[in-house]
Amino acid sequence: MRALAILLLSSLSLISLPTHAAGLRFALVKTAETETRDAFTIEDGAWGEKVIANHVAVLIEHHAATLLLDTSLGRQVDQQFDAEMPWWDKPLLQYGTVTPVRDQIERDGIRIDRILLTHTHWDHASGLADFPEVPVWAPYEEIEFSQISTPPAVLPSQFKHPIKWVPFTFAAHPFMGFEQSHDLFGDGSLVLVPLTGHTPGSVGLFLTLDDGRRFFFTGDASWRLEGFTGPKEKFWISRRMVDNDREGTRAQLEKVHQLLQREPNLQVIPAHDEAVQRKLGYYPQWVE
Ligand SMILES: [Zn+2]
């Protein structure tokens, strides 16, 4: 009887082995940083205060696949930028020295199975050309946006190679205050939600580690965590330049603001917020 119980227990533990996200971890792969002014990144910011804006991609290892959320600045960013960025936008969009994602991870033999894009703006899609063999997941609306939008937001040269698009739609499954979601592996560890506004198909990604710590990658809905805690919009010149739909973006700031009231332990990670990202460290350092 006891042997049977042990057998049962051990088979139960076998069954529960592939549970959610065994070994799930992520790393912020920083490709570049730029010094800018607090006031340029957020409404009511200080002109005298310098802040760093980061360019990162998020490397995610799930037991089923290795993913890259955004591609950040890639090997061809200088050619892309020089050829297509209007001269009057160039001074505001400088990015410093670049270490592309592919250069960093290839040294360690890491292969990407799938790319997810928070949105298709140039500084998130630049590295797509470095991974032509990898399927790229995005909502239909965002794939369409990448095909019709123009500089400075989207640089068409970044989409001229054959891209293995995998369009997806959201299901009517509420998650963390969002009415729709897309659970990537059906285990709740990686869940996409729509963040429409900054672009028509912007998405956010919730990542939940085994121990319950939960992170929310919010793309460019806000460049700063203060945009959600405020909530506060971007500086007006910046938002006119980059936010496709002001009201939509504002609604997302409000939604995440409410979420943070209910879930104060949730770690929100805007794509460019160096102060938030520095605390997590950068690849090859992992958050696990
Ligand atoms: Zn953007």
Side-chain angles (χ1 to χ4, degrees), residues 118-124 153 198-199 202 219-221 223 234 242-243 272:
T118 62
H119 62 302
T120 55
H121 277 166
W122 70 279
D123 50 330
H124 298 253
H198 180 62
T199 65
S202 279
D220 283 357
W223 288 333
K234 298 180 181 80
V242 301
D243 286 344
H272 298 289

